[in-house]
Amino acid sequence: MIEMIQVSHRFVIGKKGRERVVPVLHDIDLHVEKGEIVAIVGRSGSGKSTLLNLMSGYIHPTSGTIRVAGQAVTGLSEGDWADFRLAHLGFMFQSFQLIPSMTAFENAELPLVLKGIDVAERKKRVMALLHQVGVAEYAGHYPGELSGGQQQRVSVARALMLNPPIVLADEPTGSLDSDNERQLLALIRELNRELGITFVLITHDEQVAATAHRTIALKDGYLLNAPRKGEAHSYEIQ
Amino acid sequence: MKFNDQVRFVRQNMKKNKTRLFMTVLATAMGCAFLIVLASVGFGLQKSIVDKVVGDRLVTAIDVYGIASEDGVDRQIDEKGIAYLRSVDRVKAVTYRNNVRQTIRSTVDGAAVMPGKVINVDFEAETAAGFGLSAGRLPQADDEVVIGYYSRIPAEGFKPGDEPPSAGEWLGKTMSMEASQFETDGTERKKSFSVKIVGIAAKPSREWQIDNSVYIGNAAMGNIESFTGTQWGEQRIAPDKENPEGYEPPGLQDPRQYSEIQVIADGARHVKAIAEQIREQGYFVHSVADELDQINLVFLIMKIGLVFVGTIAVLIASIGIYNTMTMAVTERAQDIGIMKAIGAHPSAIRRIFLLESALIGLLGAIIGTAVAYVVSMAVNAGLPLIIEGFMDEKVPQDFRFSFIPGYLAALSSLISLAVALLSGSRPARRATRIDVLRALRRDL
């Protein structure tokens, strides 16, 4: 489902004329199978968020090839990436990234709006998903009126709105208490089991990592291991 | 993303800062109103001056005053001349107006009609030229006539400013016209002719013009001439002691001379060529189109200048739109980042911001146009009073200081809209370039 071949990435920082190159990822080879839940773990600064951002198209690799859902995405224009994201990817963020001036309904509806779906169809789909994630009664509430757990559920509804085959989640439980974390992970497992959605989770939480079929560890921009689906977890954060 | 959703986004965004939106729309409206009012002065002056020059005349009409002859004596146009003028290419009609050269006493329903001119016209040519009627139709039968708009003015006259009774009530009535002729021995013969009123001439464009003429066709003119035995029904003056020779007007067999000849072109663009061709044949001609060309050119330059100056005001207002849109993009950077992160196409984001600036421009244009019309009306109503009150000068009747044709309002709205789009384009482009990661980190 996601394939990274010899992907490297480096940032150029500093003012013009005094730039400094900071390598972040080195020769990453990674394969995520369809229907897998993959956790990417590593310490802060290990490059795990950069890895996810490369899969999301928010940044582009310095070298290497990335294929997502069977399509080579390296070299896509910004507009093509936007269409690709809408068609194939769902996103969950640590801080939920809901638009504060929009209600839970409007936030969840956003991908459908961007896709140009009819109002009646939108209403049906949004309410069904909000119901599924358990926040239908808060549809008219603004994010500021919701708890962290409720906001993340709205964010999950938004991520799943267009039935994407892949959901990329950056520290999805990072802002949740243990109860909400447990519920969210249960929801992720359920969605994976029932809908076959592939999840890539960035986390440093062992409980989240334990939810995954496979855990990939990163250290200083290098991939320590990338066991396939069904193999035992074999990572150690040093 | 559907257009309705883009509008919904824009409306939501606009509601966030109503004061700023109001001020921006106000600035745009002021700019647009200034542009329209300024240009309307050019249009108003042109209209007033052109109306004055044109008067009741057609722009397709060429006045023919006479013809230069080989012996150096200028002559009036005769039947041969009329025939020549009718033969010129692109000439639609040749009209003339010959006064009956005596006072005809007319009555309607037994009541005397205030004496006015009786004018012989060629109704066939007038039909082609477009004789202005306020009611009824042009004569088709020999005994049918058209009367002037003010034919029903009472014998005692009427007060200035009062509207005389409408001549329209006489439509269909029979008018008795009495002509007279003096014999060589001084005795007077009289004869009455009955005619039917079928049309009322158009109201004169100037308030001081009183048209109480009777327009008769060639057949009715022929009847009068048969009775008088003279051209145009002119009366004979019998010799007496003071005037032993008397006066014998031209007879029916003598060459005729026509008055108030107009050559009507079949389009304004042919007027110049026809006038040139006729002039080369020695005819004295004048066309209002000659004057209009020059006047219109001067006013065109003036109007372009005024629109240019007015556009500067709109451009100044555009700074406000630019500022508002830049602020809007900055304030919504994180929202834009989130939208981009989940798959908003850059073009959709650009369209939302362009739509917002277009909406500001449109609102400004609508309000500005409405204000401009109000100002224009106020100027037209108030300025003559001010001039009369403070400068002791009388402003001519119907003079308009400001005139806003529909296309000026449309052009100004278009300029406002274009300027608004232009000022919104850079902020909109900036919105599409917002870095997703920085926006998600709330680092903007």
Side-chain angles (χ1 to χ4, degrees):
Chain A
M1 206 60 175
I2 300 172
E3 194 177 6
M4 297 180 108
I5 303 160
Q6 288 291 299
V7 171
S8 296
H9 190 70
R10 60 189 185 195
F11 289 113
V12 179
I13 57 170
K15 288 182 179 172
K16 203 173 177 182
R18 294 165 65 187
E19 296 98 338
R20 199 157 56 84
V21 175
V22 181
V24 187
L25 291 173
H26 307 276
D27 304 327
I28 302 291
D29 284 312
L30 173 69
H31 298 267
V32 177
E33 304 296 332
K34 189 179 177 198
E36 262 194 313
I37 301 177
V38 173
I40 298 171
V41 298
R43 282 183 174 171
S44 184
S46 60
K48 53 188 191 302
S49 286
T50 305
L51 195 66
L52 197 78
N53 290 337
L54 286 169
M55 292 177 189
S56 312
Y58 299 154
I59 53 174
H60 306 295
T62 313
S63 64
T65 305
I66 304 172
R67 297 178 72 83
V68 181
Q71 185 179 336
V73 291
T74 31
L76 283 186
S77 70
E78 204 181 344
D80 290 340
W81 251 116
D83 293 337
F84 185 81
R85 270 181 221 131
L86 209 56
H88 298 97
L89 303 176
F91 297 92
M92 290 163 66
F93 305 94
Q94 182 180 2
S95 50
F96 324 127
Q97 303 294 359
L98 299 177
I99 295 177
S101 59
M102 290 183 176
T103 61
F105 180 95
E106 289 168 338
N107 268 290
E109 183 194 30
L110 206 49
L112 300 176
V113 172
L114 295 174
K115 190 82 176 169
I117 308 287
D118 284 338
V119 176
E121 174 67 14
R122 279 187 339 221
K123 196 172 178 184
K124 210 168 70 184
R125 279 163 77 168
V126 172
M127 285 318 292
L129 255 175
L130 288 179
H131 188 77
Q132 192 181 345
V133 298
V135 286
E137 60 193 294
Y138 303 108
H141 287 60
Y142 288 92
E145 299 163 355
L146 301 174
S147 71
Q150 288 163 341
Q151 287 189 55
Q152 191 58 298
R153 281 160 189 271
V154 175
S155 151
V156 171
R158 183 180 66 188
L160 300 175
M161 200 51 71
L162 287 168
N163 302 319
I166 305 164
V167 172
L168 304 176
D170 188 0
E171 306 273 10
T173 59
S175 302
L176 301 180
D177 58 32
S178 54
D179 262 3
N180 278 312
E181 180 180 328
R182 207 170 42 250
Q183 287 174 25
L184 180 67
L185 292 175
L187 183 65
I188 288 173
R189 274 194 299 268
E190 185 190 325
L191 291 166
N192 170 258
R193 197 172 50 247
E194 291 181 3
L195 303 173
I197 297 171
T198 307
F199 281 88
V200 177
L201 313 171
I202 297 286
T203 187
H204 54 254
D205 184 327
E206 289 198 23
Q207 202 185 335
V208 177
T211 305
H213 299 128
R214 186 156 63 103
T215 303
I216 294 167
L218 273 174
K219 188 184 177 190
D220 298 333
Y222 291 95
L223 206 59
L224 294 183
N225 66 325
R228 298 270 167 177
K229 190 177 181 181
E231 290 177 3
H233 297 164
S234 56
Y235 69 96
E236 186 185 344
I237 300 172
Q238 295 171 345
Chain B
M1 194 171 182
K2 289 187 171 174
F3 182 72
N4 283 352
D5 290 313
Q6 290 173 19
V7 173
R8 187 165 60 94
F9 269 84
V10 169
R11 284 181 58 194
Q12 276 179 349
N13 293 338
M14 283 177 140
K15 281 180 190 167
K16 284 180 189 166
N17 201 329
K18 287 180 187 165
T19 312
R20 192 172 64 204
L21 174 72
F22 172 76
M23 298 308 283
T24 314
V25 170
L26 184 69
T28 314
M30 283 170 69
C32 184
F34 181 74
L35 164 61
I36 296 175
V37 170
L38 201 64
S40 79
V41 175
F43 282 93
L45 292 178
Q46 181 182 22
K47 189 170 167 54
S48 297
I49 290 169
V50 167
D51 281 355
K52 194 174 165 59
V53 170
V54 174
D56 290 334
R57 292 176 292 171
L58 294 167
V59 282
T60 51
I62 302 163
D63 294 315
V64 183
Y65 298 110
I67 184 167
S69 59
E70 287 170 5
D71 57 11
V73 181
D74 301 335
R75 298 210 179 96
Q76 280 189 284
I77 311 296
D78 55 15
E79 279 166 332
K80 228 171 98 184
I82 296 283
Y84 163 73
L85 293 173
R86 281 184 174 148
S87 72
V88 174
D89 198 26
R90 298 282 186 191
V91 169
K92 192 162 73 171
V94 176
T95 65
Y96 48 77
R97 305 231 160 155
N98 303 303
N99 291 342
V100 172
R101 295 181 186 171
Q102 65 168 283
T103 303
I104 301 284
R105 289 177 183 79
S106 307
T107 56
V108 173
D109 291 340
V113 177
M114 187 160 178
K117 285 193 276 188
V118 177
I119 302 169
N120 163 233
V121 299
D122 180 349
F123 279 118
E124 203 178 319
E126 295 288 353
T127 307
F131 188 97
L133 287 175
S134 63
R137 58 173 173 80
L138 286 180
Q140 287 157 1
D142 291 350
D143 63 344
E144 291 178 341
V145 297
V146 169
I147 58 172
Y149 187 84
Y150 290 117
S151 292
R152 275 193 71 202
I153 51 173
E156 65 272 18
F158 63 101
K159 287 180 192 168
D162 285 356
E163 187 67 16
S166 166
E169 288 177 23
W170 280 357
L171 263 182
K173 287 191 182 281
T174 301
M175 178 185 264
S176 173
M177 302 174 74
E178 188 186 76
S180 72
Q181 179 61 297
F182 292 97
E183 299 300 336
T184 45
D185 60 3
T187 55
E188 187 181 12
R189 283 188 301 121
K190 291 182 180 174
K191 187 175 180 184
S192 287
F193 304 89
S194 285
V195 290
K196 190 180 173 190
I197 300 167
V198 295
I200 311 295
K203 186 178 182 179
S205 61
R206 305 273 180 268
E207 200 171 89
W208 46 263
Q209 285 178 326
I210 303 292
D211 178 12
N212 63 337
S213 309
V214 178
Y215 298 89
I216 61 171
N218 290 336
M221 187 72 241
N223 289 340
I224 294 171
E225 285 183 335
S226 308
F227 165 69
T228 59
T230 55
Q231 271 185 29
W232 313 123
E234 193 169 4
Q235 286 177 322
R236 180 181 294 115
I237 299 173
D240 56 19
K241 285 177 190 169
E242 288 175 16
N243 183 6
E245 288 183 5
Y247 170 68
E248 185 60 33
L252 298 178
Q253 304 307 319
D254 294 327
R256 280 178 182 273
Q257 292 183 327
Y258 291 81
S259 311
E260 292 186 43
I261 295 160
Q262 278 196 328
V263 172
I264 311 295
D266 68 356
R269 63 204 163 98
H270 299 128
V271 169
K272 207 168 178 180
I274 293 171
E276 284 304 314
Q277 191 180 340
I278 298 171
R279 196 174 279 129
E280 279 172 17
Q281 295 299 316
Y283 289 87
F284 303 121
V285 300
H286 174 263
S287 154
V288 73
D290 295 343
E291 293 168 46
L292 281 183
D293 274 357
Q294 292 171 10
I295 293 171
N296 285 336
L297 180 67
V298 170
F299 275 102
L300 178 69
I301 294 165
M302 181 181 170
K303 284 186 293 190
I304 290 171
L306 290 172
V307 168
F308 178 74
V309 174
T311 304
I312 292 173
V314 180
L315 285 173
I316 293 168
S318 78
I319 297 170
I321 300 176
Y322 179 83
N323 186 40
T324 296
M325 295 313 299
T326 305
M327 291 289 286
V329 170
T330 307
E331 282 172 2
R332 290 175 223 154
Q334 275 142 26
D335 297 358
I336 297 163
I338 293 169
M339 286 172 70
K340 282 182 78 175
I342 62 172
H345 201 283
S347 64
I349 291 167
R350 188 172 59 241
R351 276 201 302 273
I352 289 171
F353 282 94
L354 282 179
L355 194 64
E356 186 167 337
S357 46
L359 213 59
I360 291 172
L362 194 67
L363 279 172
I366 291 169
I367 297 169
T369 305
V371 169
Y373 271 103
V374 172
V375 171
S376 175
M377 280 190 282
V379 164
N380 285 330
L383 216 53
L385 298 177
I386 294 169
I387 291 172
E388 283 173 32
F390 291 96
M391 299 179 181
D392 212 19
E393 293 276 345
K394 187 145 178 69
V395 177
Q397 185 94 30
D398 295 334
F399 195 89
R400 298 179 79 164
F401 291 94
S402 165
F403 171 65
I404 305 174
Y407 67 87
L408 172 62
L411 176 75
S412 306
S413 301
L414 211 65
I415 290 175
S416 299
L417 202 62
V419 167
L421 279 173
L422 205 68
S423 21
S425 63
R426 197 176 148 84
R429 213 167 40 246
R430 219 185 109 213
T432 65
R433 289 181 187 155
I434 282 172
D435 185 76
V436 174
L437 291 178
R438 286 185 68 196
L440 296 183
R441 283 198 303 264
R442 310 212 181 278
D443 194 19
L444 288 168

